[in-house]
Amino acid sequence: MRKARNNAIIGRCPRWHRWDSGRHPSRGQRRTRQSTARLYRQLAARKSRAAQSFSSALTTTFQSSFPIMRHNRAVTNRLFRVRRGALAVMVALLGAAPAYAGNTSGAAQTSILDRLSVSQTEDLDFGIIAPGASGGRVTIQQNTGRCSASGSLTLLGDRCHRGAFEVRGDTNARVAISLGSNTTILTRVNGSETMRVDQLRVNAGPNKQLDGSGELVFHVAGRLAVGGNQTPGLYQGTFAVTVEYR
């Protein structure tokens, strides 16, 4: 081994340090050759020690992070590459995060309306009717309140009028008015005879608005069917009215 190393070093010497294989070098040439070879061996040894020291320091530093893999350089190198890749992914994710964050607060609110109250101020009254042999109908116009009779019926006096209702609630609130049905039945008091009322309607439509005082008045009209020679008496009935905020 020593001879092979010397031959390698001598091979790198300058041309003037070599000699022909058939000639014997002089004492001065041998000394010069030996000094030069020694110098090259020293330089090579210094380079080798420096390389070994750097490799040892790098291996020690990396193995401190992976003590279990201390003697497996192939596995250690793979772990180093995996760890370096994970670090690159982490840096990329951090770089994609927003540079600034802001915050604010949201507001929430609601309003509680006054409770609605509905009361009837006037009954729906078809007036005093004088029946005839063929009967007929009494109609009350929903918007004007005008009463008219048809057939053999005759209206007496001015008692006929629409039903009136008063609503109280929140100021300027919008409401919707609905009737349970557009028909109802009137039954004779202390009797069983009946007459039918249909076309029950609210004046000016079902959707309305309370005024600045939170009040509203609306009317309900309809049409009464009277039979021929209807049994005399007082006839009464009811119908449902609903008012809701909208």
Side-chain angles (χ1 to χ4, degrees):
M1 293 298 296
R2 182 178 181 85
K3 182 176 180 181
R5 186 173 59 188
N6 287 343
N7 288 340
I9 294 175
I10 293 173
R12 291 194 298 269
C13 293
R15 181 175 297 179
W16 57 275
H17 287 158
R18 302 178 186 179
W19 59 86
D20 296 334
S21 59
R23 298 176 56 186
H24 295 284
S26 63
R27 181 178 298 177
Q29 288 176 339
R30 288 197 299 272
R31 290 179 178 177
T32 300
R33 178 179 62 82
Q34 293 173 356
S35 299
T36 304
R38 189 181 303 110
L39 178 60
Y40 276 98
R41 285 196 299 271
Q42 291 175 355
L43 292 175
R46 290 180 181 177
K47 292 180 179 181
S48 177
R49 286 196 298 272
Q52 291 177 359
S53 298
F54 177 76
S55 177
S56 176
L58 181 61
T59 302
T60 302
T61 301
F62 182 73
Q63 287 178 350
S64 64
S65 301
F66 300 93
I68 299 176
M69 303 296 178
R70 189 182 301 276
H71 301 293
N72 193 335
R73 291 185 179 181
V75 175
T76 302
N77 290 335
R78 286 196 297 271
L79 288 175
F80 179 76
R81 288 193 296 270
V82 171
R83 189 171 185 180
R84 183 175 58 184
L87 180 61
V89 173
M90 185 180 296
V91 171
L93 291 177
L94 291 176
Y100 300 98
N103 59 74
T104 186
S105 58
Q109 65 178 9
T110 187
S111 297
I112 305 300
L113 298 176
D114 291 339
R115 183 176 179 178
L116 280 173
S117 64
V118 184
S119 60
Q120 187 176 20
T121 58
E122 286 185 330
D123 293 340
L124 173 59
D125 195 334
F126 291 92
I128 301 173
I129 305 170
S134 62
R137 291 186 175 88
V138 176
T139 302
I140 304 176
Q141 297 294 327
Q142 67 184 78
N143 293 326
T144 64
R146 178 178 176 272
C147 296
S148 61
S150 65
S152 61
L153 304 180
T154 302
L155 279 175
L156 303 176
D158 57 358
R159 181 178 136 179
C160 179
H161 54 75
R162 299 174 296 178
F165 296 83
E166 184 178 68
V167 181
R168 293 181 181 273
D170 202 64
T171 58
N172 301 313
R174 297 180 181 275
V175 296
I177 303 169
S178 62
L179 304 177
S181 173
N182 67 345
T183 64
T184 189
I185 300 297
L186 304 183
T187 304
R188 186 173 69 89
V189 177
N190 298 323
S192 59
E193 294 80 6
T194 61
M195 290 187 292
R196 184 174 184 269
V197 177
D198 62 5
Q199 296 186 6
L200 290 173
R201 296 172 182 173
V202 177
N203 69 301
N207 297 324
K208 300 184 182 300
Q209 184 176 9
L210 277 61
D211 60 18
S213 300
E215 297 179 353
L216 169 69
V217 175
F218 67 92
H219 299 86
V220 176
R223 183 179 66 174
L224 174 66
V226 181
N229 298 318
Q230 184 76 36
T231 303
L234 176 62
Y235 290 75
Q236 294 179 336
T238 59
F239 58 93
V241 178
T242 303
V243 181
E244 298 176 319
Y245 284 118
R246 66 180 178 91

